[in-house]
Amino acid sequence: MSRKLSRRGFMGAALSGAAALSRHRTRAADPSGHAPMDPAILGGTPVRKEPFPSWPVADTREENALAEVIRSGEWFRVGGKQVDRFEAEYARLTGSAHCLATANGTSALLVSLQALGVGPGDEVIVPPYTFVATVNVVLLLHALPIFVDTDPETFQIDARKVEAAITERTRAIVPVHLGGSAADLDTILEVAGRHGLPVVEDACQAHLGEWRGRKLGTWGKTGCFSFQASKNLNAGEGGAILTGDASLVEACYEFHNNSRGRRQRGADFTYRTSGANLRMTEFQAALLLAQMVRLEEQAKRRDENAAYLTGLLKEIPGIRPARMYAGCTRNAYHIYMFRYDKAAFAGLTRASFLKALRAEGVPASPGYSPLNREPFLEQTFATRGYQRIYSKEQLAGWRERSSCPQNDQLCGEAVWHGQTMLLGPRTDMDQIADAIRKVQAHAARLAQAVS
Ligand SMILES: *Cc1c(COP(=O)(O)O)cnc(C)c1O
């Protein structure tokens, strides 16, 4: 039986032009009856046995940085030095005039929208292909998220469709630089400018990413970053707002610091605005300053590996890596994304493809599901507050306005590799491509066997 399977595997490999498989082919069948070249999920030898690079990366630099804060007794940003130092460093690194550190990326977005005056009754334009936080902040302000469909080639918000979503109630546009690639900022900024609308860049996945040679997060009215554990710059939790607007950064500071201004004296208990506590701690900032030393080198490694991987994957029928807009001069590669077309894999479903790939030692995930279809959205709109603020017609029209057919399709076809998979040697990329080609070579058999 193994001989017959091996032969089929051989033919499949030959058909897909998978030269890498020849290594497996020449090995003898093992006593279990499985040929080593069989798919790992059917008992064959996996393409890769070692784990991909782990995350976070840290050593005595981080340990010393934290110990220093502990010993200093200055654990609070007001009076401490670390957060101030981080803000100055991050502004310098990104070429931004101002930086405000926040507790996390969600609060960076919330503070930005609040400072720009977004509130009940307003509409905010968002993409459906993003982490839920992008939309949650709109709901926290009792505004209405309006979804604009995804560009199927780039997986970013389709900038050509933004203008049609603008009404007299629109108060802000929040493009996301998803996966660390860039949304089409030329088009978005042009449309926003013509309508007098602020752009808040959700750059939570896009540290050191660039548009036309300038850092992502510095193009909009504000740019928001996350330093949550999975992100390319990591302090467990953390966030930052970039802006070129001196009075806006003061408004942001005041809101994130329970109504207290940057220069307000401790004994002064009078206030001009409402606020919240969304501050970063000295520990987070110390960790970020240490992690930032590694950031450029890691970004370079990801970029080089991703470019090489794209070259390999483009050659595999049915695999289409996410395209970048011409203006995206640097992709931060928080996520490596491609589309999977099961027609080129003998009808093997994406779920089975992912299982088979993982069995080969290559982690992969299906990514986001359609956010605009989440039932919690309409449940939120059914609450007392939303019912009071928005008319029945407005809420009834929301569903139709927010339909995103391209995104629905993408969510059924996308495959993601996380950023840490891009941090190893180039041979890791060869193994990712080998594993995909191997699954393709055996796709017909896998489609029968794996569910
Ligand atoms: C991570 C992330 C956020 C939220 O950041 P937190 O630090 O987790 O609050 C927002 N938007 C996007 C696109 C993200 O990836």
Side-chain angles (χ1 to χ4, degrees), residues 180-199:
S181 190
D184 176 0
L185 282 170
D186 288 359
T187 307
I188 293 165
L189 290 167
E190 188 273 321
V191 170
R194 250 186 310 106
H195 291 267
L197 291 169
V199 170

Side-chain angles (χ1 to χ4, degrees), residues 81-98:
K81 292 186 186 69
Q82 303 292 332
V83 177
D84 286 349
R85 203 176 284 161
F86 169 73
E87 287 173 342
E89 267 301 294
Y90 203 63
R92 189 194 57 76
L93 185 67
T94 53
S96 179
H98 308 281

Side-chain angles (χ1 to χ4, degrees), residues 45 148 177 268 339 386 415:
T45 306
V148 167
H177 302 303
D268 180 354
R339 275 180 105 105
Y386 269 84
V415 174

